Amino acid sequence: MTDETRIALRNYDWLIRNRHEIELAWDSHTLVDHSGGYDLDMLCQEGFTPATDGDWRNRAD
């Protein structure tokens, strides 16, 4: 698995566990929640959520 995939999955996992009513809007390439939307590419960015900030690669979770 690439780091980009691992980052995206960790960010998405954190979002669905910690934000209410979040969904993927594939047609607009957006991740939508009650406060607005995010471009799906943001899921691949380190630090987008607490799950990928700091030294996340060495965490066991």
Side-chain angles (χ1 to χ4, degrees), residues 28-40:
S28 63
H29 201 253
T30 307
L31 186 63
V32 182
D33 71 6
H34 66 278
S35 63
Y38 310 95
D39 188 278
L40 286 180

Side-chain angles (χ1 to χ4, degrees), residues 21-61:
E21 301 177 17
I22 194 143
E23 64 182 76
L24 293 169
W26 292 109
D27 58 331
S28 63
H29 201 253
T30 307
L31 186 63
V32 182
D33 71 6
H34 66 278
S35 63
Y38 310 95
D39 188 278
L40 286 180
D41 290 335
M42 293 178 75
L43 287 174
C44 298
Q45 296 177 5
E46 284 188 58
F48 179 58
T49 68
T52 59
D53 65 357
D55 194 21
W56 66 270
R57 285 179 178 85
N58 293 323
R59 293 183 199 156
D61 57 355

Side-chain angles (χ1 to χ4, degrees), residues 3-34:
D3 273 351
E4 184 177 54
T5 302
R6 194 171 277 113
I7 291 166
L9 289 172
R10 288 180 68 90
N11 281 330
Y12 185 66
D13 179 67
W14 187 92
L15 287 168
I16 61 173
R17 291 174 190 263
N18 294 283
R19 299 271 175 95
H20 300 288
E21 301 177 17
I22 194 143
E23 64 182 76
L24 293 169
W26 292 109
D27 58 331
S28 63
H29 201 253
T30 307
L31 186 63
V32 182
D33 71 6
H34 66 278

